[in-house]
Amino acid sequence: MSYTALYRKFRPQVFQDVVGQDHIVKTLQNQIKTGHISHAYLFCGTRGTGKTSTAKIFARAINCLAPTEEGEPCNICQLCKDILAGRSVNVIEIDAASNNSVENIREIREEVKYPPTEGTYKVYIIDEVHMLSGSAFNALLKTLEEPPAHVIFILATTDPQKIPATILSRCQRFDFRRITTEDITHTLMGYLEQEGQNMQKEAVRYVAQLADGSLRDSLSILDQCLAFYSGEEVTLEKVQDVVGAVDPTVFFDMVAALSVKDATKAMELIQEMLFAGREVKQFISEFLGHLRNLLIAISVPKPVEILDISTEHLQRLLAQGKTVSAEEITFWIRRFSALLSEIRYVSNERVLLEVEVLRLCSSWAEQDMTAISARLSALERKVAEGVTVTMQAAAPLEMPKEKPKTKRKPPALDEDKKALQEQWHTIRSGFSDPILRSKLSQVEIGFKEDEFVYLVCAYDALEDMLTKYLSQIEEEIEKVLGKSFSLQVTGRDSYDIWRKAVYGEEETGSEDGDWDSLMSGIFPEADFE
């Protein structure tokens, strides 16, 4: 007889076997007992939390010929046996990942017209429903809104935000929670007892932690460990060997090395980890988890209510928390998170890990505020511990003395530009449009060292107003002076800033100010001091 994987062998057959979803199980059982069954359900949650298993149990329970008083299927009658064997025509399971076209949904719309050949309901279980195309969702919408009385839809998904709101609003939504480590550990211990296998509880707990809330994942890891160490007692070290994980002691040692910037010790830890055959990505991922636990342990008054770890592990975290600061841990989390993203695109993962560790053990690599805050926090901690901290002052930098800039004078204007500047008051008063004439009254003529004539506006908003009138203003100037000019619009503030940057501060109140102005017009190349 062929071997059956544990996650298939221990698939829940009744509501009582569903782990960690009591809020959903109780609601469904009450609906079955009272007969208040909805026409459409949406089961949401991460992988391995029991969505499809619960849907199959519910399908059997509402069709069962002899359900229990608690709303459980009997699993003995012919209908239950047929559904369990997958040969019932009343329970249709569809994988939307591979049947996501509008034609597949049209087939369902035709089939729902016919009542079930046996039993009370025809149940459609559509797994990964978020994979349906937009056209398929539109085709499903009408049927989902007003299905025949004998049809029930159960939609299961790990990504509910991708489902249209029109579909969501027509379903009763049930959110499947991640299963706690304690619940997974207790369940696995029961399965191991049924299988007659021997495994240390701390090893089982570690498998539950690796599953990250998914009972199916934990059973897959457990199956792999039992196959690798067939007939032996499975310990924590053996589980870590199978999954390529790292002994948690390495994480404590790495934090200790980083806190004192001991590059030699940190590099030795990496070398030992790699020689033991561990994966770099796995090490970084688990080290981030350790840093997260450490940060929570020193920041939250009651970390035991948040952290899913043993009491002994928590005590080690609290002890190490006295040797590091929250600022340092936060900085390390940021750096290793970035490293985990970068490492996906390189072939030599070890090099990136070693370079990052060396950077963290140096005082020169990071200059941003997070790194500076972490360094200051480390210094404060050392001072509080009574360690004398000496810092070598950097030699003062001798700034090169700037040579005083020779003051420039604006270039002399040609006759045409002078005429425009002198007659601007007359020109702007000659416009027939009173609105434009009013706007130009707040404009002066300015020049830069280019070919343009600048309309210097008194305020910024006036720039946008005059832009659409530029061609009209150019025509009027050409009409009066017989010359054409290229106009540009600028603000008073920006024009003054430019003039100051190019020609420096204008001297006012000088006894020779009028003389300098007069002479610079006659001798533009001369420099009068």
Side-chain angles (χ1 to χ4, degrees):
M1 183 177 179
S2 61
Y3 176 74
T4 303
L6 292 181
Y7 78 88
R8 294 180 58 197
K9 184 175 183 179
F10 293 109
R11 182 186 290 274
Q13 301 299 320
V14 291
F15 285 120
Q16 187 178 358
D17 294 339
V18 178
V19 180
Q21 312 298 341
D22 295 340
H23 61 298
I24 296 175
V25 167
K26 185 176 180 180
T27 304
L28 294 177
Q29 285 180 312
N30 288 338
Q31 288 186 351
I32 294 171
K33 287 188 289 185
T34 59
H36 296 165
I37 298 173
S38 177
H39 68 281
Y41 295 87
L42 179 64
F43 290 175
C44 312
T46 59
R47 67 189 188 282
T49 51
K51 300 183 296 298
T52 307
S53 297
T54 304
K56 291 180 177 180
I57 296 172
F58 184 69
R60 291 199 304 275
I62 59 179
N63 282 301
C64 182
L65 299 177
T68 66
E69 294 182 358
E70 298 299 325
E72 298 275 15
C74 68
N75 292 333
I76 299 175
C77 67
Q78 189 60 42
L79 286 178
C80 287
K81 289 181 179 180
D82 289 344
I83 297 174
L84 282 171
R87 58 175 178 263
S88 173
V89 295
N90 291 342
V91 178
I92 302 95
E93 187 175 358
I94 302 170
D95 178 21
S98 55
N99 300 277
N100 55 8
S101 66
V102 66
E103 288 77 11
N104 299 121
I105 302 301
R106 285 173 180 166
E107 292 176 5
I108 296 176
R109 292 177 59 181
E110 294 299 322
E111 292 173 0
V112 297
K113 299 177 182 178
Y114 306 104
T117 55
E118 53 185 4
T120 308
Y121 295 99
K122 181 179 286 188
V123 183
Y124 287 88
I125 302 174
I126 306 179
D127 203 8
E128 299 300 334
V129 69
H130 65 273
M131 300 291 287
L132 288 179
S133 64
S135 301
F137 273 123
N138 293 334
L140 178 64
L141 182 59
K142 189 62 178 178
T143 303
L144 197 65
E145 183 179 13
E146 297 176 358
H150 58 268
V151 173
I152 294 175
F153 286 95
I154 303 179
L155 314 180
T157 178
T158 57
D159 211 351
Q161 62 269 19
K162 292 184 179 180
I163 299 177
T166 51
I167 299 292
L168 291 173
S169 63
R170 289 167 172 80
C171 301
Q172 284 192 10
R173 175 169 174 168
F174 292 91
D175 289 289
F176 284 69
R177 302 168 181 166
R178 290 179 182 271
I179 307 174
T180 64
T181 302
E182 291 300 329
D183 286 343
I184 294 178
T185 302
H186 178 74
T187 303
L188 294 184
M189 293 296 292
Y191 292 163
L192 287 169
E193 185 176 349
Q194 294 182 39
E195 290 290 296
Q197 299 286 347
N198 190 10
M199 190 171 184
Q200 292 181 356
K201 186 173 182 179
E202 60 179 2
V204 177
R205 184 180 180 83
Y206 184 69
V207 170
Q209 290 175 344
L210 292 176
D212 193 24
S214 170
L215 183 57
R216 183 173 64 235
D217 287 3
S218 68
L219 284 169
S220 296
I221 298 172
L222 182 65
D223 208 351
Q224 184 179 1
C225 294
L226 293 178
F228 196 83
Y229 295 101
S230 178
E232 303 178 25
E233 181 184 21
V234 181
T235 63
L236 176 60
E237 291 75 15
K238 292 179 179 179
V239 174
Q240 291 172 346
D241 286 337
V242 171
V243 300
V246 182
D247 187 349
T249 304
V250 175
F251 303 139
F252 286 96
D253 294 340
M254 181 61 75
V255 169
L258 293 177
S259 64
V260 296
K261 298 188 179 300
D262 187 350
T264 303
K265 178 63 176 177
M267 296 298 286
E268 290 176 355
L269 291 172
I270 293 176
Q271 188 174 14
E272 292 174 2
M273 180 265 297
L274 294 175
F275 281 168
R278 308 308 184 205
E279 294 290 335
V280 173
K281 290 180 183 177
Q282 183 78 13
F283 168 79
I284 298 174
S285 179
E286 293 191 19
F287 187 53
L288 281 170
H290 176 80
L291 292 175
R292 173 256 184 188
N293 293 343
L294 183 59
L295 182 61
I296 293 176
I298 66 176
S299 303
V300 179
K302 295 181 179 180
V304 68
E305 298 178 358
I306 300 176
L307 298 178
D308 192 13
I309 56 177
S310 63
T311 305
E312 296 78 10
H313 196 167
L314 177 59
Q315 294 301 323
R316 291 187 67 182
L317 289 174
L318 293 174
Q320 187 167 66
K322 299 177 182 178
T323 64
V324 292
S325 64
E327 290 81 1
E328 291 174 281
I329 300 173
T330 303
F331 175 58
W332 296 336
I333 289 176
R334 195 194 71 174
R335 291 305 312 157
F336 279 102
S337 296
L339 177 63
L340 191 59
S341 299
E342 296 171 4
I343 212 166
R344 301 173 184 173
Y345 308 103
V346 299
S347 56
N348 196 333
E349 301 170 348
R350 175 177 181 172
V351 172
L352 280 188
L353 175 60
E354 290 177 339
V355 169
E356 185 60 42
V357 169
L358 290 176
R359 286 168 61 90
L360 294 175
C361 290
S362 68
S363 58
W364 47 263
E366 292 289 345
Q367 300 298 330
D368 63 357
M369 293 305 298
T370 308
I372 293 173
S373 176
R375 290 170 59 189
L376 288 176
S377 178
L379 291 174
E380 290 174 355
R381 173 170 46 80
K382 291 180 180 180
V383 171
E385 293 172 355
V387 179
T388 303
V389 179
T390 59
M391 298 191 67
Q392 183 178 0
L397 297 176
E398 294 185 2
M399 300 299 293
K401 296 181 179 179
E402 295 184 0
K403 295 181 180 180
K405 295 181 179 179
T406 304
K407 186 176 179 181
R408 295 176 56 191
K409 296 294 184 182
L413 301 177
D414 57 31
E415 294 299 328
D416 295 333
K417 291 184 178 180
K418 282 183 181 179
L420 174 59
Q421 199 169 46
E422 291 170 357
Q423 298 184 43
W424 173 243
H425 179 74
T426 304
I427 294 172
R428 71 189 185 191
S429 301
F431 284 91
S432 58
D433 187 347
I435 297 177
L436 178 57
R437 192 167 58 244
S438 173
K439 293 176 181 177
L440 291 177
S441 66
Q442 303 180 69
V443 174
E444 297 178 1
I445 297 296
F447 303 96
K448 296 183 181 181
E449 297 177 350
D450 54 24
E451 72 276 12
F452 295 106
V453 174
Y454 289 87
L455 302 180
V456 183
C457 302
Y459 54 92
D460 293 341
L462 189 56
E463 295 182 49
D464 297 332
M465 298 179 187
L466 288 180
T467 301
K468 60 182 180 181
Y469 292 106
L470 284 180
S471 59
Q472 185 177 346
I473 298 172
E474 289 176 354
E475 292 176 2
E476 184 67 22
I477 292 174
E478 185 176 358
K479 178 181 177 182
V480 175
L481 298 179
K483 300 286 184 180
S484 61
F485 296 92
S486 298
L487 303 182
Q488 292 284 341
V489 183
T490 185
R492 166 58 63 187
D493 292 339
S494 60
Y495 183 75
D496 290 344
I497 291 172
W498 171 84
R499 193 171 182 85
K500 179 180 177 182
V502 175
Y503 303 119
E505 293 280 0
E506 294 185 3
E507 297 180 3
T508 58
S510 171
E511 295 179 358
D512 299 327
D514 295 336
W515 169 257
D516 290 348
S517 178
L518 176 62
M519 297 304 291
S520 63
I522 300 173
F523 303 101
E525 302 301 327
D527 187 10
F528 298 92
E529 298 182 357

